[in-house]
C-alpha cells in the first residue's frame, strides 16, 4: 500500500473526505467484468447438486461473483484516492534573535528585558486572536519552537538572519505563512545579506529593532596585519588598527604578547567621536616553528564590552638566515652582481669562493664545513679546466641533497661538469665556443610559475624587455623530468633550446641558466620599472624555491586558518597519499581535537583526487591541538597534527550597534514595516490588513494502490475459502 496520511493541524478546519476509485482501464471494461463475473456465477449456481435453498444459492453466487470480479479487477491496478479538504488559518511566524549580542546593555537599556517585554506585550497576544502564531529562534542556525520560551538563553555565538528567512520560505506553503515578525538587533555576521532573502521570501517582514543604533562607548582591535612567515632573530612589524568611540582625551596601552611575555608596548591617546588609530608594534621572534602571539588593549571605564580588547595571530618562524655559498670559476661581473644582489636580501647570509687560475680559491681553502653548512650552492661559471675541488662539492651536494643554482660561463669545462650531471636539469649535446647574443623568451605555459612571478612586471612582459645576454653555441637538452621556464631568442626567432630550466626529483632541486652575462639584466635594465628589479626578484624567487623543503608526508591535514572567532566553524582540509604517492580517495580520515581534557572528533569527507574536507562547530574559547589519522581497509596510512585558537573576540561583539538601517531596508523591500520597541500600536492592524492575509483552502490526497495492498490477495482467498466451506457443508460437488 502506497501513500501517507498527514494529520490535520490545529490551524486547519477539516471537512469530510471525498472518495475516488480509478482503474487503468475504462469504466466500460470494468462494468463488463462485473457483469461477466455475476453471469458466470449465476449460471454455475442456477441449478445445484444436491439442490440447496434460495438463500444459500444467492450467498454462493455473491461470493463467487465478488472473488472473480476482484481477481480480474486487480489486473487493471485499481487506485483508491481519499481527497481531504480543509480551511487553513493564516499563520504569522515570529523570529526571535537568540544570539549573545542580545545580552548587551546599552543606552537603550538591557536588550534581554526589552525582548521579554515585546514577547509579553498585548500586541502579540492580540495577534494570536487573528492568526496561528509559530515561533522560531535563530543564531548560528534557525530552530522552530512550539511556544514562546519562558527564558531564552541568548547564547548563540553568531547571527544568520538570512537562514531563518530561508527556513520560512521552505515552510510557507505548508504552514500558510502570511507574515513574519522579526525581533532582533539587526546585526548579522554569518550568511548573506538578509535583504536578499527577504525579497525572495514572498511574504512581508515586519521588523522590531532592539538596541541603540548610535555608536557605543567602546575600544576594540579591528584589524591586525602581520607577516605569516618571519625569521628568527630578525625584527618583524605588526600593524594594528584600534577603533574607539564615545571617548575623548583618554589614553590606552596597546601591547604585544607571546604567552604572558610582553614584547612591545605603545600608548594611544583617544580623540572624540568614532575613530581608528594605526599602531605599529615590533617583535623579534625566537626559535623556529609556528608561534602564537596576541595584541591587547587596556580597558576603559563604561566600555560596552572588553571581549574585543584582545586578538591573537600566528606566525611561522624560520631560521634566522639562509646560508648561500657561491662557487665561481673565477672573478667575473656575474659573480659580483649575483653576490651583491643576494647580499641585499636581509634573510640571506652570502659567502663566496672565487677560483684562481692555478686551481685554489682567493678566499682560502674550501672546507667540508663551508659546504655542509650551506642551505644552497650557487655555481657561477664553475667548474673550469683548472678546478680541483669538484669531487668535494659533488659529494656534499649528493649526500645532503643540496639545492643548486647553476649559472653558465664561457670557460665552463663540460667534461668535468658531468660529475654533477645527476643533479643538473640538462645534458650537453655538443660543445662550441662560438658566442651569440640571446634574448630570454619565457614559456607561456610557465606564466604562473613562482620563479618568474615578478611583482613589478605585468605577466611575462618584463622578461621580454630584458637586454640580451651571452651564450655559446653549445647545444643543451632538457632532461625529461625538467621544466623549461624559457628559451633562447635570436633576432626575433625563438629557438627550440632551453635557456632557463628547473628540476625537482627525489628531494633534489636545481635551476640552470645556460647563458652568462646576466649582470646585464641589472645594470642595463635600470630606468624601466618593469625590468630594473627583475634580476633581484628572480634570484630571490630562485633561492626561495630551491630552499623550500618538499612535504612528502602521506597524510596532510590543516585548518583553513590558525585563529577563529567564537561562532565560526573550524574547517579542516586534508590530503591522503599511498606509498607510491598516489592520491587515496577511500580513506577514513579522522580528526581528533583536544583542549583541557575535552575531546571532539570528526570525519573528513572525500572530495576527489585524494583531498578531504570537514568542520567542527560549537567549540569554545581557547587553544586547541588536533591529531589526524588515515586508514583504509584496516591499514594505517599515516597521520598529522597541528594547532589552532578560538579567540576571545566573539563575532557578536565586533559590531554592537543596532542596525536600524538594515531592518528598515529589509522590511521595506519585502512589503513590511519597521518598528521601535516602544511603538507597536499599529502592528496588529498593519499585519492583519494585508490583502493576502486570509485563510485558504487546503487539499490533500492519500492514495492507496489496492492491487498492491498486502491484504488484497487475502480477501480473494477468504472469499473463495468461504464459498468452498459452504459448498462442503452442503455436500455439493
Amino acid at each position: 500500500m502506497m501513500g501517507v496520511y498527514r494529520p490535520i493541524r490545529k490551524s486547519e478546519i477539516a471537512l469530510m473526505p471525498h472518495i475516488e476509485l480509478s482503474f487503468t482501464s475504462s469504466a466500460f471494461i470494468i462494468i463488463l467484468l462485473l457483469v461477466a463475473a455475476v453471469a458466470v456465477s449465476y449460471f454455475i449456481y442456477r441449478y445445484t447438486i444436491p439442490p440447496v435453498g434460495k438463500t444459500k444459492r444467492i450467498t454462493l453466487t455473491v461470493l463467487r461473483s465478488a472473488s472473480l470480479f476482484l481477481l480480474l479487477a486487480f489486473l487493471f491496478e485499481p487506485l483508491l484516492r481519499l481527497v481531504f479538504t480543509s480551511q487553513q488559518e493564516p499563520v504569522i511566524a515570529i523570529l526571535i534573535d537568540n544570539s549573545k549580542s542580545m545580552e548587551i546593555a546599552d543606552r537603550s537599556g538591557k536588550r534581554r528585558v526589552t525582548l521579554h517585554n515585546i514577547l509579553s506585550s498585548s500586541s502579540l497576544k492580540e495577534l494570536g486572536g487573528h492568526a496561528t502564531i509559530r515561533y522560531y529562534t535563530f543564531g548560528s542556525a534557525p530552530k522552530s519552537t512550539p511556544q514562546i520560551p519562558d527564558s531564552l538563553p541568548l547564547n548563540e555565538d553568531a547571527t544568520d538572519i538570512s537562514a531563518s528567512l530561508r527556513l520560512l520560505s521552505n515552510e510557507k506553503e505548508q504552514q500558510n505563512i502570511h507574515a513574519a515578525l522579526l525581533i532582533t538587533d539587526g546585526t548579522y555576521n554569518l550568511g548573506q545579506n538578509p535583504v536578499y532573502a527577504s525579497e525572495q521570501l514572498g511574504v512581508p517582514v515586519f521588523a522590531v529593532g532592539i538596541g541603540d543604533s548610535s555608536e557605543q562607548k567602546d575600544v576594540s582591535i579591528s584589524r591586525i596585519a602581520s607577516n605569516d612567515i618571519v625569521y628568527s632573530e630578525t625584527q618583524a612589524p605588526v600593524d594594528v588598527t584600534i577603533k574607539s568611540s564615545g571617548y575623548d582625551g583618554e589614553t590606552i596601552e596597546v601591547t604585544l604578547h607571546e604567552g604572558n611575555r610582553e614584547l612591545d608596548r605603545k600608548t594611544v591617546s583617544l580623540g572624540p567621536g568614532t575613530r581608528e588609530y594605526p599602531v605599529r608594534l615590533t617583535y623579534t621572534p625566537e626559535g623556529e616553528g609556528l608561534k602564537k602571539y596576541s595584541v591587547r588593549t587596556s580597558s576603559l571605564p563604561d566600555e560596552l564590552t572588553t571581549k574585543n580588547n584582545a586578538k591573537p595571530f600566528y606566525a611561522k618562524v624560520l631560521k634566522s638566515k639562509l646560508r648561500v655559498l657561491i662557487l665561481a670559476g673565477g672573478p667575473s661581473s656575474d659573480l659580483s652582481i649575483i653576490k651583491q644582489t643576494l647580499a641585499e636580501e636581509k634573510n640571506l647570509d652570502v659567502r663566496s669562493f672565487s677560483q684562481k687560475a692555478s686551481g685554489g680559491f682567493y678566499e682560502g681553502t674550501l672546507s667540508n664545513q663551508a659546504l655542509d653548512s650551506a642551505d644552497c650552492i650557487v655555481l657561477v661559471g664553475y667548474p673550469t679546466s683548472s678546478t680541483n675541488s669538484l669531487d668535494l662539492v659533488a659529494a656534499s651536494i649528493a649526500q645532503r641533497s643540496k639545492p643548486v643554482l647553476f649559472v653558465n660561463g664561457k670557460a665552463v669545462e663540460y667534461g668535468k661538469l658531468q660529475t654533477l650531471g645527476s643533479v643538473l636539469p640538462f645534458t650537453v649535446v655538443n660543445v662550441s665556443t662560438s658566442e651569440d647574443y640571446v634574448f630570454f623568451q619565457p614559456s607561456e605555459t610557465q606564466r604562473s610559475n613562482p620563479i618568474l612571478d615578478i611583482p613589478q612586471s605585468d605577466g611575462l612582459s618584463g622578461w621580454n624587455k630584458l637586454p640580451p645576454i651571452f651564450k655559446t653555441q653549445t647545444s643543451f637538452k632538457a632532461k625529461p623530468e625538467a621544466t623549461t621556464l624559457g628559451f633562447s631568442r635570436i633576432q626575433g626567432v625563438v629557438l627550440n633550446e632551453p635557456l632557463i630550466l628547473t628540476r625537482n626529483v627525489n628531494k633534489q632541486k636545481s635551476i640552470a641558466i645556460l647563458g652568462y652575462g646576466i649582470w646585464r639584466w641589472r645594470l642595463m635594465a635600470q630606468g624601466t620599472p618593469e625590468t630594473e628589479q627583475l634580476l633581484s626578484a628572480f634570484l630571490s624567487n630562485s633561492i626561495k624555491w630551491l630552499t623550500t623543503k618538499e612535504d612528502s608526508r602521506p597524510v596532510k591535514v590543516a585548518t583553513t586558518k590558525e585563529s577563529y572567532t567564537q561562532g565560526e566553524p573550524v574547517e579542516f582540509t586534508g590530503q591522503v597519499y599511498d606509498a607510491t604517492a598516489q592520491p587515496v580517495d577511500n580513506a577514513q580520515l579522522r580528526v581528533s581535537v583536544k583542549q583541557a581534557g575535552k575531546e571532539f572528533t570528526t570525519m573528513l569527507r572525500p572530495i576527489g583526487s585524494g583531498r578531504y574536507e570537514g568542520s567542527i562547530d560549537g567549540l569554545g574559547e581557547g587553544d586547541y591541538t588536533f591529531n589526524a589519522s588515515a586508514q583504509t581497509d584496516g591499514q594505517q596510512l599515516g597521520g598529522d597534527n597541528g594547532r589552532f585558537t578560538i579567540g576571545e573576540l566573539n563575532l557578536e561583539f565586533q559590531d554592537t550597534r543596532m542596525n536600524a538601517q538594515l531592518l528598515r531596508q529589509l522590511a521595506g523591500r519585502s512589503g513590511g514595516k519597521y518598528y521601535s520597541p516602544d511603538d507597536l500600536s499599529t502592528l496588529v492592524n498593519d499585519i492583519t490588513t494585508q490583502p493576502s492575509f486570509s485563510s485558504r483552502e487546503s487539499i490533500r490526497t492519500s492514495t492507496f494502490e489496492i492491487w498492491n495492498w498486502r491484504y488484497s490477495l487475502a480477501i480473494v482467498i477468504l472469499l473463495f475459502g468461504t464459498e468452498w466451506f459452504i459448498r462442503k457443508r452442503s455436500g455439493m460437488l
Side-chain angles (χ1 to χ4, degrees):
M1 180 177 67
M2 306 296 289
V4 177
Y5 171 74
R6 182 170 64 86
I8 303 296
R9 292 188 296 269
K10 292 182 179 180
S11 60
E12 298 177 356
I13 302 174
L15 303 177
M16 288 297 292
H18 173 65
I19 301 175
E20 297 178 357
L21 183 64
S22 62
F23 297 83
T24 57
S25 181
S26 66
F28 175 76
I29 298 297
I30 301 303
I31 294 173
L32 188 62
L33 290 177
L34 177 59
V35 172
V38 173
V40 169
S41 301
Y42 174 76
F43 178 79
I44 292 174
Y45 289 110
R46 185 177 56 172
Y47 301 107
T48 61
I49 300 176
V52 296
K54 183 179 179 181
T55 301
K56 188 171 291 186
R57 281 191 295 108
I58 293 174
T59 301
L60 291 172
T61 301
V62 170
L63 289 173
R64 175 64 64 92
S65 300
S67 56
L68 287 177
F69 173 72
L70 289 177
L71 194 60
L72 293 172
F74 287 162
L75 299 177
F76 296 93
E77 300 179 358
L79 294 177
L80 178 65
R81 183 177 292 107
L82 301 178
V83 181
F84 296 89
T85 304
S86 62
Q87 289 293 323
Q88 283 186 308
E89 293 182 359
V91 174
I92 299 173
I94 298 182
L95 305 173
I96 306 169
D97 191 340
N98 191 39
S99 63
K100 287 183 176 179
S101 64
M102 296 294 287
E103 281 278 24
I104 290 175
D106 53 22
R107 295 187 186 98
S108 67
K110 295 182 178 180
R111 296 182 183 180
R112 173 185 282 275
V113 174
T114 304
L115 175 61
H116 178 268
N117 292 339
I118 293 173
L119 294 177
S120 58
S121 67
S122 58
S123 295
L124 260 65
K125 292 178 182 177
E126 187 178 348
L127 275 178
H130 293 273
T132 301
I133 306 296
R134 290 185 60 85
Y135 295 95
Y136 300 82
T137 62
F138 65 90
S140 302
K143 299 174 184 175
S144 176
T145 180
Q147 58 186 2
I148 299 179
D150 294 332
S151 178
L152 284 166
L154 304 181
N155 59 356
E156 297 271 352
D157 290 316
T159 306
D160 188 350
I161 299 177
S162 61
S164 63
L165 297 177
R166 288 196 302 271
L167 176 61
L168 291 191
S169 181
N170 294 333
E171 292 189 353
K172 70 176 183 179
E173 292 303 325
Q174 286 187 350
Q175 302 294 342
N176 193 27
I177 296 174
H178 280 278
L181 179 61
L182 178 66
I183 308 174
T184 177
D185 57 16
T187 300
Y188 72 95
N189 39 52
L190 284 182
Q192 66 179 14
N193 190 322
V195 173
Y196 306 133
S198 70
E199 291 176 332
Q200 298 169 0
L201 178 59
V203 301
V205 178
F206 298 84
V208 181
I210 296 179
D212 190 348
S213 59
S214 61
E215 195 76 57
Q216 308 297 312
K217 293 185 72 173
D218 197 21
V219 175
S220 63
I221 300 172
S222 59
R223 288 188 299 275
I224 293 180
S226 63
N227 294 95
D228 294 333
I229 297 177
V230 294
Y231 293 88
S232 182
E233 310 301 333
T234 301
Q235 191 177 79
V238 180
D239 291 308
V240 184
T241 302
I242 305 297
K243 182 181 179 181
S244 83
S245 59
Y247 292 100
D248 185 8
E250 292 87 347
T251 59
I252 58 171
E253 299 294 324
V254 184
T255 54
L256 175 63
H257 296 261
E258 181 182 8
N260 294 323
R261 184 164 65 98
E262 184 177 304
L263 304 178
D264 198 7
R265 174 184 290 264
K266 292 288 176 64
T267 301
V268 177
S269 297
L270 305 180
T274 299
R275 298 188 181 185
E276 289 189 339
Y277 305 87
V279 180
R280 169 160 286 194
L281 303 170
T282 59
Y283 69 108
T284 303
E286 299 176 356
E288 294 182 56
L290 188 66
K291 305 283 186 178
K292 179 190 175 185
Y293 303 93
S294 62
V295 177
R296 306 170 190 170
T297 69
S298 56
S299 59
L300 291 175
D302 301 323
E303 268 195 80
L304 183 67
T305 178
T306 59
K307 293 184 178 181
N308 50 15
N309 288 29
K311 196 169 187 178
F313 68 95
Y314 281 83
K316 187 175 183 179
V317 183
L318 303 180
K319 290 173 60 175
S320 58
K321 286 190 175 183
L322 293 171
R323 299 183 180 91
V324 177
L325 179 64
I326 302 176
L327 302 180
S332 67
S333 299
D334 274 355
L335 171 61
S336 299
I337 289 297
I338 292 173
K339 183 177 180 181
Q340 177 185 341
T341 302
L342 293 178
E344 291 170 357
E345 288 280 332
K346 62 180 181 180
N347 298 314
L348 297 181
D349 180 9
V350 182
R351 185 180 182 186
S352 67
F353 284 83
S354 179
Q355 189 176 273
K356 297 177 181 179
S358 58
F361 292 96
Y362 289 104
E363 294 80 4
T365 303
L366 179 63
S367 64
N368 278 323
Q369 192 276 334
L371 288 165
D372 294 344
S373 63
D375 296 299
C376 181
I377 295 177
V378 180
L379 307 178
V380 181
Y382 179 94
T384 65
S385 57
S386 58
T387 298
N388 53 23
S389 56
L390 190 58
D391 290 338
L392 185 68
V393 174
S396 178
I397 292 174
Q399 292 172 7
R400 300 180 182 272
S401 298
K402 298 284 184 184
V404 174
L405 171 59
F406 173 78
V407 181
N408 209 351
K410 188 173 183 179
V412 167
E413 174 57 51
Y414 294 110
K416 290 188 175 182
L417 188 63
Q418 293 304 310
T419 305
L420 301 174
S422 61
V423 174
L424 299 174
F426 64 89
T427 57
V428 181
V429 179
N430 65 282
V431 178
S432 173
T433 57
S434 298
E435 198 173 52
D436 288 322
Y437 275 117
V438 298
F439 292 88
F440 176 66
Q441 178 66 43
S443 172
E444 282 294 330
T445 61
Q446 299 301 312
R447 178 175 290 272
S448 60
N449 192 293
I451 297 175
L452 298 182
D453 184 18
I454 310 301
Q456 296 82 3
S457 177
D458 180 17
L460 300 176
S461 62
W463 289 98
N464 292 316
K465 296 177 182 179
L466 287 173
I469 60 175
F470 304 106
K471 180 185 177 299
T472 64
Q473 293 182 1
T474 300
S475 296
F476 301 96
K477 182 180 179 181
K479 289 183 177 178
E481 66 273 12
T483 300
T484 301
L485 302 187
F487 304 89
S488 299
R489 186 178 80 245
I490 300 177
Q491 296 180 350
V493 178
V494 179
L495 306 180
N496 189 25
E497 185 169 314
L499 187 59
I500 301 180
L501 311 92
T502 65
R503 182 174 180 264
N504 181 10
V505 176
N506 296 328
K507 299 182 181 181
Q508 174 69 64
K509 293 183 177 182
S510 61
I511 299 176
I513 304 172
L514 300 179
Y516 51 94
I518 63 172
W519 59 267
R520 298 164 64 89
W521 286 355
R522 176 158 184 173
L523 298 185
M524 298 178 66
Q526 300 303 306
T528 303
E530 284 188 295
T531 60
E532 59 186 2
Q533 296 297 322
L534 194 145
L535 180 62
S536 298
F538 169 68
L539 291 176
S540 176
N541 291 346
S542 297
I543 298 300
K544 288 177 182 177
W545 182 82
L546 287 167
T547 55
T548 299
K549 301 297 183 184
E550 291 296 313
D551 191 350
S552 59
R553 293 171 297 163
V555 177
K556 306 169 190 176
V557 175
T559 54
T560 54
K561 53 186 179 180
E562 287 85 15
S563 181
Y564 296 85
T565 57
Q566 287 187 9
E568 285 187 288
V570 178
E571 299 178 332
F572 295 90
T573 60
Q575 300 176 57
V576 180
Y577 301 90
D578 61 17
T580 63
Q582 295 299 310
V584 178
D585 287 334
N586 61 341
Q588 292 80 51
L589 184 52
R590 179 186 296 273
V591 177
S592 175
V593 176
K594 297 181 180 179
Q595 189 244 5
K598 299 179 181 178
E599 184 172 355
F600 311 86
T601 61
T602 186
M603 298 295 294
L604 304 192
R605 59 184 177 276
I607 57 175
S609 301
R611 298 171 299 145
Y612 295 77
E613 65 181 14
S615 63
I616 291 182
D617 292 318
L619 298 181
E621 162 193 335
D623 295 328
Y624 292 81
T625 61
F626 69 85
N627 291 283
S629 62
Q631 64 177 17
T632 179
D633 297 329
Q635 180 181 359
Q636 197 73 18
L637 298 177
D640 198 2
N641 59 75
R643 58 181 291 189
F644 62 89
T645 292
I646 297 180
E648 296 179 359
L649 178 59
N650 189 285
L651 288 173
E652 287 295 293
F653 300 106
Q654 289 183 348
D655 188 356
T656 54
R657 291 178 297 174
M658 190 266 286
N659 196 340
Q661 181 180 359
L662 174 76
L663 294 179
R664 286 191 176 95
Q665 187 179 16
L666 183 150
R669 293 277 190 92
S670 65
K673 186 178 177 181
Y674 171 79
Y675 306 87
S676 68
D678 300 326
D679 186 17
L680 300 177
S681 58
T682 64
L683 174 65
V684 176
N685 184 65
D686 292 338
I687 292 178
T688 57
T689 56
Q690 290 284 320
S692 60
F693 191 81
S694 62
S695 60
R696 70 178 181 185
E697 187 177 75
S698 174
I699 299 176
R700 303 183 313 278
T701 60
S702 293
T703 302
F704 298 88
E705 295 177 344
I706 299 177
W707 59 274
N708 197 32
W709 188 29
R710 57 181 175 177
Y711 298 115
S712 296
L713 183 60
I715 291 174
V716 174
I717 294 174
L718 178 63
L719 292 174
F720 275 120
T722 304
E723 179 192 2
W724 176 85
F725 177 76
I726 295 174
R727 288 171 59 90
K728 194 71 173 174
R729 291 293 300 269
S730 301
M732 299 174 64
L733 296 178

